[in-house]
Amino acid sequence: MLDDLSNQFLPSTVGGLAAGAIFALLALGYTMVYGVLRLINFAHSEIFMIGTFASLFVLTTMGVTGPLTGFALIGMLLLMLVVSMAAAGGAAVLLEQVAYRPLRKKGASRLAALISAIGASLFLQEFFALVVIPAVFDKAGRNTTGVPRLVDRDVVFTIGNANVRTDHIIVIVAAIAMMVLLDQIVNRSRMGRGIRATAQDPEAAVLMGVNIDNVVRMTFLLGGAMAGVAGMLYVMEYEVTQYNEGFVLGIKAFTAAVLGGIGNIRGALLGGFALGLIENWGAIFLGSEWKDVIAFIVLVVVLMFRPTGILGESLQRARA
Amino acid sequence: MLLEVNDIHVYYGKVAALHGVTLEVSEGEIVALIGANGAGKTTTLKTISGLRPLARGRVRFQGEDISKVPAHKRVALGIGQAPEGRGIFPGMTVQENLLMGAYGRKGDVSGDLAQVYEIFPRLAERKSQYGGTMSGGEQQMLTIGRALMTNPKVLLLDEPSMGLAPMLVAQIFDIVKEINERGTTVLLVEQNAHQALQLAHRAYVLETGAVVKSAPASDLLHDPEVRAAYLGGDLGVA
């Protein structure tokens, strides 16, 4: 057992960071929407799924069948990034418009909004399984779709016995760059100030001239775009997707958001990386089939001692 | 007339909060709205700033009907509200809170910021402290300062004395007077009727969602009914 630990600790850490980066990107969307609307956007996992298929669409359309290198690879990654962010961000904005805004305008209860969210989630899954996947990708809608390898698994350097590969570096660097960008937008831009004000006191925000509808739209756009980045990186790293690919991942990302303190952007990052690492470390002892169990045990234990998560709730502490 | 509120009716669900409130505020005035808890004072302010939808009636500002203008656009017209109690942004610093007041404004606002710090030296001392960690009185000052940063033509003040020690109340009222003397019209909602009437030029008395009296504030201070109901009888003049 101790042998396992010393042999596998560093490799698990690398894998855990890559998984955690994707959890964190996805957790941002849950946490931002919760911060502004106090709504669990259950359909966020489908926004991620749309992001994976947008990247797959780029690979198929560009005729990628094997690994690329150099500028071709960078260009392809950037193209996937842009298309996935646009598709997922756009889908998130549309989702808000169709599934949440009408309820909000009528002053419906949060339970109604949650049910609408679950409905939207199922609708999007089925819409992809029955319509989009067969029509666009010419595949059976409910089968797992393999993704051609884009990045060679070359070892760039090693830390102890852990191989750090090109794909790991791309995932972790891209995720961190996107998080820094989001953090800057939320903390430095005018719209970001509007988002933070709305999260802290919506009525006072209106009295300052903040247009809440715009803030909500922008929140879904940013959260959706981050889910798009997550989808693109996921497709590149794990080389697979399907109509319900977001389901388990979405629940884990939500867990990460709660773990860090829901509504808190930096909490989502912390929660994401923590969850990725804990899952992979735990798997050393119990085997990787226990990953999901480990993740949720951790959640329960943390919440028993810190009900508001590691960093505490709410966007209001985003800078604290 | 700067602000005209004409026969407004407002409902919370099926319950009427206001049925037919009419009032006017002219430029340069301090007008007080007094009345018991639940009389509709706060609802009246929130309807003027657009936070509550009108069922009937009209709100006019500088002669224009603004009944259909959404709340976030009324700020730019010159209606600034300091909300009741702790309507500050707790996770922003004092300075960030004040700059939120200038959210919809273009151009340089550093002159206004300096002016707010001049009126509230306490806020200047606490510039980089988080709003949520300030005392009740300081938070009250912050909501007023933040409303001033919207550059209002009329400042709607909702219970500025609520929960404050008597000394602080006197201080806040002095500041309201100073703000008015600097040229801002004030519509003040207060439960602390005695002090409000001493400060205001005119006042309206609200009871269960309607105006029951309106007069120069000094008249109301000596009105037997008002004294019995809101000024604690004879003790009120002590």
Side-chain angles (χ1 to χ4, degrees):
Chain A
M1 191 107 146
L2 276 178
D3 263 6
D4 286 349
L5 184 63
S6 62
N7 285 336
Q8 293 175 32
F9 180 75
L10 289 172
S12 290
T13 304
V14 175
L17 286 176
I22 291 173
F23 292 154
L25 281 171
L26 202 49
L28 288 169
Y30 285 103
T31 232
M32 287 181 71
V33 168
Y34 181 86
V36 168
L37 289 180
R38 301 290 183 272
L39 164 76
I40 308 296
N41 177 14
F42 216 82
H44 191 58
S45 46
E46 277 55 56
I47 300 300
F48 162 81
M49 178 272 289
I50 290 171
T52 64
F53 276 103
S55 273
L56 181 60
F57 178 76
V58 170
L59 288 173
T60 321
T61 311
M62 302 300 285
V64 174
T65 49
L68 300 176
T69 51
F71 287 116
L73 175 62
I74 293 171
M76 187 60 60
L77 288 171
L78 285 177
L79 185 63
M80 286 162 71
L81 188 72
V82 169
V83 172
S84 281
M85 284 175 86
V93 169
L94 198 65
L95 170 74
E96 191 270 325
Q97 197 103 6
V98 173
Y100 304 138
R101 180 161 305 197
L103 292 173
R104 195 155 53 81
K105 293 288 171 195
K106 291 205 168 71
S109 73
R110 270 185 228 158
L111 187 61
L114 183 66
I115 291 167
S116 184
I118 294 171
S121 165
L122 288 173
F123 167 80
L124 286 172
Q125 283 187 21
E126 292 303 310
F127 181 64
F128 266 70
L130 296 170
V131 181
V132 178
I133 298 170
V136 178
F137 297 96
D138 199 20
K139 293 200 162 113
R142 290 183 200 280
N143 288 357
T144 301
T145 307
V147 176
R149 173 151 299 185
L150 180 63
V151 183
D152 262 327
R153 267 41 179 170
D154 292 332
V155 176
V156 181
F157 59 90
T158 54
I159 304 174
N161 64 338
N163 293 332
V164 180
R165 305 186 312 241
T166 319
D167 55 304
H168 292 141
I169 293 173
I170 292 172
V171 169
I172 293 168
V173 169
I176 290 175
M178 284 299 153
M179 291 165 197
V180 170
L181 179 70
L182 181 75
D183 195 71
Q184 290 297 308
I185 291 173
V186 171
N187 282 321
R188 302 261 180 268
S189 75
R190 183 168 176 277
M191 183 45 78
R193 287 198 294 141
I195 290 174
R196 284 191 296 138
T198 305
Q200 292 176 34
D201 190 331
E203 205 159 75
V206 173
L207 292 176
M208 303 298 108
V210 176
N211 182 342
I212 302 278
D213 285 347
N214 281 350
V215 162
V216 170
R217 200 175 288 123
M218 188 53 85
T219 304
F220 274 85
L221 181 68
L222 290 173
M226 291 298 135
V229 178
M232 171 263 179
L233 294 173
Y234 184 88
V235 156
M236 184 204 83
E237 176 70 8
Y238 301 107
E239 301 176 331
V240 65
T241 187
Q242 57 181 347
Y243 75 105
N244 62 355
E245 195 71 22
F247 183 71
V248 172
L249 204 75
I251 290 180
K252 283 195 192 166
F254 176 63
T255 303
V258 174
L259 199 61
I262 185 120
N264 184 321
I265 288 180
R266 290 177 188 178
L269 306 186
L270 189 67
F273 282 110
L275 192 68
L277 288 172
I278 292 164
E279 253 192 29
N280 280 272
W281 287 336
I284 299 174
F285 300 106
L286 300 171
S288 58
E289 64 274 23
W290 285 84
K291 267 186 188 174
D292 297 356
V293 179
I294 296 162
F296 293 107
I297 289 175
V298 168
L299 176 72
V300 171
V301 171
V302 168
L303 290 185
M304 274 164 66
F305 295 101
R306 267 193 80 86
T308 54
I310 301 169
L311 293 188
E313 274 183 30
S314 188
L315 285 179
Q316 62 182 242
R317 299 282 173 225
R319 307 190 61 182
Chain B
M1 199 57 60
L2 186 64
L3 175 69
E4 295 162 78
V5 172
N6 197 344
D7 189 33
I8 58 170
H9 294 246
V10 174
Y11 290 82
Y12 288 102
K14 289 199 164 76
V15 184
L18 300 181
H19 28 84
V21 170
T22 297
L23 60 85
E24 292 179 344
V25 181
S26 341
E27 209 160 334
E29 278 190 305
I30 300 180
V31 174
L33 269 179
I34 60 173
N37 239 339
K41 306 186 298 289
T42 295
T43 305
T44 304
L45 284 198
K46 286 187 169 175
T47 310
I48 294 169
S49 58
L51 293 175
R52 291 286 168 271
L54 271 176
R56 237 174 78 194
R58 233 192 325 214
V59 178
R60 293 165 77 86
F61 187 66
Q62 296 186 302
E64 303 247 350
D65 187 348
I66 58 162
S67 310
K68 298 229 153 56
V69 176
H72 70 268
K73 289 192 176 152
R74 295 191 194 189
V75 190
L77 297 177
I79 300 178
Q81 185 180 342
E84 183 178 19
R86 322 230 145 159
I88 53 144
F89 302 115
M92 294 189 189
T93 63
V94 168
Q95 179 132 327
E96 285 178 307
N97 262 280
L98 292 175
L99 289 175
M100 271 312 294
Y103 184 82
R105 295 174 60 188
K106 291 186 175 69
D108 186 26
V109 295
S110 56
D112 287 9
L113 191 63
Q115 201 179 20
V116 169
Y117 283 140
E118 190 187 316
I119 298 174
F120 299 102
R122 191 98 185 128
L123 295 182
E125 288 164 24
R126 316 223 146 193
K127 242 179 237 194
S128 44
Q129 191 174 324
Y130 281 96
T133 65
M134 309 240 292
S135 74
E138 290 163 346
Q139 293 197 9
Q140 199 58 263
M141 292 176 191
L142 186 52
T143 59
I144 297 173
R146 195 183 57 185
L148 286 177
M149 288 299 292
T150 67
N151 195 21
K153 295 192 174 78
V154 62
L155 176 63
L156 312 179
L157 286 178
D158 197 353
E159 303 272 9
S161 76
M162 191 160 77
L164 300 187
M167 233 177 67
L168 264 177
V169 174
Q171 200 188 338
I172 294 268
F173 276 81
D174 283 346
I175 288 167
V176 173
K177 193 164 181 217
E178 185 188 338
I179 290 168
N180 177 250
E181 280 162 1
R182 287 175 187 239
T184 307
T185 307
V186 175
L187 177 57
L188 169 74
V189 155
E190 260 298 338
Q191 277 204 64
N192 196 334
H194 189 69
Q195 251 152 327
L197 289 176
Q198 284 185 325
L199 175 72
H201 304 112
R202 293 188 303 114
Y204 293 85
V205 181
L206 243 64
E207 257 171 40
T208 58
V211 173
V212 293
K213 241 179 199 126
S214 80
S218 51
D219 292 2
L220 288 176
L221 264 178
H222 299 102
D223 182 303
E225 278 178 45
V226 170
R227 282 174 59 169
Y230 303 110
L231 301 176
D234 287 335
L235 293 175
V237 285

